[in-house]
Amino acid sequence: MIRRILVTIAFMAALMACPSCSSEDPMTRQIKAAVSAQMKQYPESTLKDLYKNFFQDAFGPGHLMSSSPDARANMAAYISSECREVVEDNSPCPLYESTGYVGRFYRVSLSAVEDGTIPFDVFLDAFVRSAEQFTLPPVDEWKVEWGKIESIIVSLNLNLPDFEKDSEGIHNLLTSGEYASHHSESYQNAYKPHYRLIEKSIFETELLPYLQK
């Protein structure tokens, strides 16, 4: 509760310091729209799941790829193994959806790979390039950005379960210099997600045509 109050006070102080900001700016509208879309599609979402959506938009899949010579082969084996889980889990997630409020990446369901709609090698190459070509932002900058995003989420009064616990956990994560987080258990159980992040232009140019046939 204390952290929520502090976040709200910081947000209101920022508005008071900048009277012209009292009317919603484009960033605020975009964040609200992204949160609304997620809660409509995934009502079991917690703050952890909202955080994951926004941090994926900022960092993409870069944190998933190591620089070792075997990285591509290891990722191919991992994706191939996960594809075998897709049919059994029967995830209700859409084939693709944009991340965060900027939309730098798409979550692309592995079901489109498992059933052959997108050729495995095409998908793997798109994923690897999405990870290798994207420059990760400094965690300190993301910490500030997330503070703004969380303030807006607080203002929406969503009554998210375990909000205080999740908020504190995310704060501690970012303070330690880390940023990656998992989906909540409730999200995992409800939606059984199986996807990879593909950079926006790569997805729209190279993968989307397969999904539109």
Side-chain angles (χ1 to χ4, degrees):
M1 179 61 70
I2 293 176
R3 175 159 174 76
R4 182 186 297 191
I5 292 172
L6 291 175
V7 169
T8 303
I9 290 174
F11 180 62
M12 295 305 296
L15 289 178
M16 292 175 65
C18 178
S20 63
C21 296
S22 59
S23 59
E24 287 187 353
D25 57 274
M27 177 182 173
T28 298
R29 291 196 298 271
Q30 291 164 357
I31 291 171
K32 286 185 175 182
V35 171
S36 176
Q38 175 159 344
M39 296 309 299
K40 182 177 180 179
Q41 180 74 41
Y42 306 107
E44 297 300 319
S45 291
T46 66
L47 184 67
K48 287 181 64 175
D49 304 302
L50 289 170
Y51 172 83
K52 187 174 181 71
N53 190 11
F54 287 109
F55 103 68
Q56 286 179 332
D57 193 33
F59 288 86
H63 63 289
L64 297 176
M65 289 288 293
S66 71
S67 58
S68 72
D70 299 327
R72 185 185 180 97
N74 291 339
M75 184 54 65
Y78 190 72
I79 292 176
S80 179
S81 174
E82 191 171 348
C83 279
R84 290 193 286 271
E85 302 174 18
V86 170
V87 176
E88 180 180 347
D89 285 344
N90 191 28
S91 171
C93 298
L95 286 178
Y96 61 92
E97 56 188 334
S98 183
T99 57
Y101 72 97
V102 179
R104 296 183 180 95
F105 296 87
Y106 281 87
R107 291 175 174 177
V108 184
S109 173
L110 292 184
S111 64
V113 181
E114 188 280 331
D115 67 10
T117 301
I118 300 176
F120 184 89
D121 289 343
V122 172
F123 184 87
L124 177 64
D125 183 65
F127 173 75
V128 170
R129 283 186 288 120
S130 294
E132 292 178 341
Q133 296 175 8
F134 186 72
T135 301
L136 300 179
V139 175
D140 285 346
E141 290 183 9
W142 166 240
K143 184 177 179 181
V144 173
E145 183 175 354
W146 169 248
K148 297 176 182 177
I149 295 171
E150 187 182 46
S151 297
I152 293 169
I153 293 173
V154 168
S155 74
L156 296 175
N157 297 315
L158 299 175
N159 295 316
L160 298 171
D162 298 321
F163 180 92
E164 299 298 339
K165 178 182 177 182
D166 289 347
S167 178
E168 190 65 30
I170 294 167
H171 173 75
N172 292 338
L173 178 75
L174 295 174
T175 299
S176 72
E178 300 295 329
Y179 59 88
S181 179
H182 298 294
H183 280 298
S184 67
E185 184 176 351
S186 59
Y187 188 103
Q188 291 278 8
N189 291 337
Y191 309 116
K192 299 177 174 58
H194 295 286
Y195 61 80
R196 290 296 183 276
L197 299 178
I198 307 296
E199 190 273 330
K200 182 179 187 293
S201 63
I202 294 176
F203 170 75
E204 293 178 350
T205 301
E206 302 176 25
L207 301 189
L208 184 57
Y210 286 101
L211 301 174
Q212 293 177 328
K213 290 182 179 178

